[in-house]
Amino acid sequence: MASGANYQMQSYATDDPIDQFTSERPTAKWLIDNKIETVFGNGIFNEKVRFTNDSNYQNYSGDDQVTFNRKDTVRPAPYQHYEAHDGFSLNETELANNGIILTDDKSAQMTDAEKIQIVDKLQEGWTTLKDGFQENWDLEIHLDGSANPKAVPGLDALVSTTPDVGVIGGLDAANAAWWRNWALMGISTATAGNLVAQLEKLWRQTITYGKLGAPNYIPVGSDMYDALLADALKVIGRQINMGGTSTGGVTVDPSTKALAFKGVPVVWDPTFDALDEELGPITHPWKKRGYFLNSKAIRLRPVKGRWMIRRTPPRVYDRYTYYFGLTADYGLTCRKRNSNAVFSIA
C-alpha cells in the first residue's frame, strides 16, 4: 500500500499538480503563475503601503527661513495565511472486494494483479482529489471570505464592488481614500460605444497613482464578454481580406480571434458563471462583471514549504483504514488597491 501510494503521489504531486491548471480556471492560473513563496512571521505578512510623500515643498528667496520635517509615509498592511485540505481514504474491506488483500505480514508479496489494481485504485483517488481541490480552491479565491472565517478573503474582498467599505489588510477603507480600488458598476450598454468609453476612463484611473504600471490581466464573466465584444463591433469597422486573389471567393468567418483591451487579452473566466449558479441572485452578478487586475499589486503568497503538500497520515491503531491528503497554506495580499478595478454592466 505504501509503495503504491508513493508511486501515485510522485506521479501526480511532485511537480505541484495544482499548478497544472487548465484554461477553464484562468484567474487561479494567473495567481499561481505570479506566486511568491513567503514567510508569515507570527502568522502575519505585512505589505508596506506608501500612502503619501509627506512633502515639505516651499518657495523661498534669499535669506528666508525654510523648514524640514520628519516623514511619515508608510503603513503596514497585515495579512494572514489560510490553510486548506482535501483527502480520501481506503479501507481493507473495499480493497478486498477489489481483489487486493492487505496484511501486516511484512514478508508478504503483492501479486502482479494486486499491483495493477491498487495503483488504479490510488490513481482514481488521487486524480479526483487533485481535481476537487482545484475546483474548490478556485471558487474560494474569487469570494470575499465572509461566508467562512477560515477561508482566505479573495478577489471580491481585495477588489471590492463597494471599495469604501471594509477592513482590508488591517486598513479601514472608510477612513483612507487612498486604500480603495476603483469600481464602476451598472454600466449602460444601450448606447453604442458607451461601455468602451467608460472602460477607457476606468483604465486611466488605475494608472493615475503610483508606479506599478497598467493592469495586465482582465477576467470577465460571459455577459460582460459578450457585451464588450458587441460594443467593440459597433464602433470598429471590419474588413475582409481576399488574400490577393480575385478568383475562388473568400472564406467568411464571423467570429473574432481574440478580444483585448489596451493590448491586454480579455479572458472569459467560467468560474464567474459558476459562482452565480452557486450563490443565486446577488447585487452585482458575476456574469456581468469584469476586472482590471495588476499582478504587481495582488499576490498569491504560499507559505514557504507548505504549498501543495501530499499527506499520508499513519493508520490509526483501531481502524484498518489508510488515508491520503493534500494541504496548502497560503495568503492573498494586495499592496495597492487603486491599481485595480472592478466593473459591471447593467
Side-chain angles (χ1 to χ4, degrees):
M1 172 66 88
S3 175
N6 184 64
Y7 169 80
Q8 280 306 311
M9 291 188 173
Q10 287 294 335
S11 297
Y12 282 85
T14 301
D15 297 323
D16 286 342
I18 198 71
D19 284 7
Q20 308 306 308
F21 273 108
T22 62
S23 59
E24 283 81 16
R25 299 188 181 104
T27 299
K29 183 180 186 302
W30 175 74
L31 285 170
I32 288 173
D33 287 344
N34 295 285
K35 71 180 186 293
I36 299 176
E37 281 197 342
T38 302
V39 174
F40 284 73
N42 294 320
I44 295 295
F45 176 80
N46 284 303
E47 290 279 15
K48 296 183 178 69
V49 178
R50 180 184 297 138
F51 68 101
T52 178
N53 286 323
D54 202 7
S55 176
N56 194 34
Y57 179 87
Q58 302 158 56
N59 295 110
Y60 78 99
S61 178
D63 293 331
D64 289 351
Q65 185 179 20
V66 295
T67 62
F68 299 83
N69 68 345
R70 291 185 178 275
K71 288 185 178 290
D72 180 19
T73 60
V74 175
R75 293 288 182 271
Y79 290 89
Q80 299 177 344
H81 62 103
Y82 297 81
E83 297 167 289
H85 155 86
D86 201 349
F88 70 99
S89 65
L90 294 171
N91 61 52
E92 292 190 2
T93 301
E94 61 183 316
L95 289 170
N97 290 341
N98 282 273
I100 305 165
I101 307 302
L102 294 186
T103 174
D104 288 330
D105 181 2
K106 297 187 182 300
S107 63
Q109 299 292 320
M110 288 204 308
T111 66
D112 290 340
E114 285 178 322
K115 288 179 182 179
I116 294 171
Q117 287 174 288
I118 197 169
V119 166
D120 285 347
K121 193 83 172 168
L122 286 167
Q123 177 175 328
E124 177 62 17
W126 184 253
T127 299
T128 53
L129 170 65
K130 179 193 69 173
D131 290 345
F133 193 105
Q134 290 179 350
E135 179 183 2
N136 287 282
W137 186 79
D138 181 45
L139 292 171
E140 181 176 310
I141 60 173
H142 283 75
L143 298 172
D144 63 7
S146 60
N148 182 358
K150 295 182 180 180
V152 69
L155 179 61
D156 202 22
L158 301 180
V159 188
S160 174
T161 58
T162 54
D164 59 346
V165 176
V167 176
I168 303 297
L171 301 174
D172 191 347
N175 300 324
W178 48 268
W179 191 239
R180 299 171 187 168
N181 59 265
W182 303 100
L184 185 57
M185 315 308 292
I187 302 171
S188 172
T189 57
T191 302
N194 184 59
L195 177 56
V196 172
Q198 295 301 319
L199 294 187
E200 288 277 3
K201 297 176 184 178
L202 189 62
W203 183 274
R204 287 198 296 270
Q205 289 179 312
T206 65
I207 60 176
T208 299
Y209 302 104
K211 302 176 182 178
L212 295 187
N216 56 7
Y217 179 58
I218 307 176
V220 299
S222 58
D223 287 354
M224 174 58 74
Y225 190 98
D226 293 341
L228 185 54
L229 177 59
D231 207 43
L233 294 176
K234 291 175 184 176
V235 298
I236 299 175
R238 303 186 72 182
Q239 178 180 359
I240 297 177
N241 189 336
M242 299 182 65
T245 179
S246 59
T247 61
V250 296
T251 298
V252 177
D253 186 343
S255 67
T256 54
K257 184 177 181 180
L259 180 62
F261 191 84
K262 299 295 185 183
V264 180
V266 175
V267 180
W268 171 53
D269 185 343
T271 302
F272 283 30
D273 294 32
L275 284 168
D276 279 342
E277 295 177 6
E278 180 173 308
L279 299 175
I282 58 176
T283 303
H284 302 293
W286 282 86
K287 288 181 181 180
K288 296 185 176 184
R289 292 192 203 181
Y291 289 82
F292 291 153
L293 302 180
N294 191 317
S295 63
K296 295 180 181 178
I298 296 176
R299 297 264 177 76
L300 169 64
R301 295 186 177 277
V303 176
K304 191 172 183 178
R306 287 174 56 80
W307 175 244
M308 294 304 131
I309 303 299
R310 61 184 185 271
R311 304 285 191 173
T312 53
R315 191 187 79 192
V316 295
Y317 74 95
D318 60 351
R319 286 186 177 89
Y320 298 106
T321 303
Y322 302 82
Y323 303 94
F324 310 93
L326 182 66
T327 63
D329 194 355
Y330 62 95
L332 273 178
T333 70
C334 182
R335 59 176 179 158
K336 193 168 183 298
R337 296 186 75 200
N338 62 12
S339 286
N340 305 274
V342 57
F343 50 92
S344 73
I345 56 174

